[in-house]
Amino acid sequence: MKKVILITGASSGMGKETAKALISQGHIVYTAARRINQMQDLKLLGGYPIQMDVTNESEIEETVNTIIRKEGKIDVLWNNAGFGLYGSVEDVSLDEARRQFEVNVFGIAAVTKKVVPHMRKENSGTIINTSSMGGKMYFPMGAWYHASKHAVEGLSDCLRLELKEFNIKVVILEPGFIATEFGSVLIDNFSKISNQSPYKNSMTKIMEGTKKAAEGNGSSKPSVIAKTIVKIVNSTNPKTRYRVGKFAKPMVWMRTYLGDKMFDKIVMSQM
């Protein structure tokens, strides 16, 4: 059945790859991102790109109103916009940390708040929130990123219970290592931090590991996410969580069952 879908963060990586797959299946796909120039290929395929910043409430409202005016409903919202902020707690400014939460957490909340009333009216809908395996575990130098994804987990769990009576499903996507812009963003974050940082050695090791993963077989292709989202969209009863991509399942398993000290040893042994 053809569905009306809104995807945030669709200008690259997982969002763009999935948009292509959903458009090819005949769904009506609206793609939202700040970089609208990078979504023109989606327009040629039959998608509907919209320039929107998830931290700008008026832009969100305008986007949702446009879709409702044209389509009358939104069947699926995929809150995919987000980025990774890396650096030690000591080095990263609180302004940068607040920006991380504005996009990764409050951005999800802002878009959701505008879409939910329309889903309630239809007594139907699916909301997919992109968390990460990092929402269940942690790596050094990623405190603010992991904190934001842990928050996405809690937000989504509560939202799922709140919306159950309105027949609105809330699904949490927990990707592992995916070949996207994430690695380059991490390296850029580190490069902005002073060479005088007391954490320079740790940052160097993490950068080397990130580059090695990008060059080798350390990440899954975005297509694994696209297949998963397509499955969720086409399901009448999707699972609560989908953990997909390189290392996602084993890393979360280790974090859950091995305990803090053992998991700490495993993580630090990779540095």
Side-chain angles (χ1 to χ4, degrees):
M1 186 177 73
K2 183 185 294 187
K3 294 184 178 180
V4 179
I5 303 167
L6 170 59
I7 303 174
T8 69
S11 61
S12 65
M14 303 187 305
K16 175 175 275 195
E17 190 74 19
T18 302
K20 291 177 181 178
L22 291 169
I23 292 168
S24 71
Q25 288 199 344
H27 294 292
I28 300 169
V29 183
Y30 285 82
T31 56
R34 291 179 302 154
R35 301 177 295 183
I36 193 169
N37 60 306
Q38 293 192 18
M39 297 188 289
Q40 293 310 303
D41 53 339
L42 298 177
K43 185 176 182 179
L44 294 174
L45 293 173
Y48 300 92
I50 297 177
Q51 187 167 26
M52 188 190 85
D53 186 334
V54 297
T55 66
N56 187 316
E57 190 172 350
S58 64
E59 288 186 7
I60 297 168
E61 186 166 13
E62 184 178 347
T63 294
V64 172
N65 288 345
T66 296
I67 299 172
I68 296 300
R69 189 166 58 250
K70 290 182 177 179
E71 314 297 342
K73 62 176 183 173
I74 296 174
D75 296 304
V76 180
L77 165 63
W78 179 19
N79 285 307
N80 179 59
F83 73 99
L85 174 63
Y86 271 76
S88 72
V89 173
E90 185 177 352
D91 285 327
V92 174
S93 73
L94 290 181
D95 283 342
E96 290 177 296
R98 290 187 184 98
R99 173 68 180 171
Q100 175 82 118
F101 270 75
E102 282 293 336
V103 175
N104 288 13
V105 183
F106 296 114
I108 285 179
V111 180
T112 299
K113 283 168 71 68
K114 297 297 182 185
V115 171
V116 161
H118 301 287
M119 288 185 169
R120 277 197 294 103
K121 184 178 178 181
E122 297 293 324
N123 197 45
S124 176
T126 299
I127 298 171
I128 307 166
N129 290 337
T130 298
S131 176
S132 165
M133 69 175 184
K136 293 292 191 183
M137 38 75 71
Y138 50 85
F139 289 117
M141 305 294 154
W144 293 113
Y145 173 72
H146 289 288
S148 73
K149 291 304 185 180
H150 276 68
V152 169
E153 296 275 340
L155 175 71
S156 302
D157 284 333
C158 293
L159 189 65
R160 182 177 67 252
L161 300 182
E162 293 171 6
L163 297 181
K164 187 176 178 63
E165 66 175 294
F166 305 109
N167 196 34
I168 300 171
K169 311 289 193 304
V170 178
V171 178
I172 304 170
L173 180 69
E174 297 175 340
F177 291 133
I178 308 295
T180 66
E181 296 177 343
F182 191 91
S184 61
V185 171
L186 181 150
I187 292 171
D188 287 345
N189 289 158
F190 283 170
S191 66
K192 294 174 186 175
I193 296 173
S194 169
N195 286 332
Q196 302 304 312
S197 171
Y199 306 94
K200 184 180 177 181
N201 289 341
S202 294
M203 288 192 292
T204 299
K205 290 176 182 177
I206 292 171
M207 282 194 290
E208 289 172 352
T210 301
K211 290 176 182 177
K212 192 177 295 183
E215 293 166 358
N217 192 31
S219 301
S220 296
K221 294 180 179 179
S223 59
V224 304
I225 299 297
K227 290 176 183 177
T228 300
I229 297 296
V230 167
K231 183 189 298 184
I232 296 169
V233 167
N234 293 327
S235 174
T236 56
N237 188 30
K239 296 191 296 184
T240 300
R241 280 175 171 78
Y242 288 80
R243 198 167 289 147
V244 292
K246 199 83 172 183
F247 302 124
K249 290 180 179 178
M251 289 300 292
V252 175
W253 185 92
M254 287 189 288
R255 174 67 187 101
T256 303
Y257 295 105
L258 298 184
D260 297 339
K261 291 186 177 179
M262 181 58 71
F263 186 77
D264 287 356
K265 287 182 180 179
I266 292 170
V267 170
M268 296 307 289
S269 71
Q270 301 306 303
M271 297 179 62

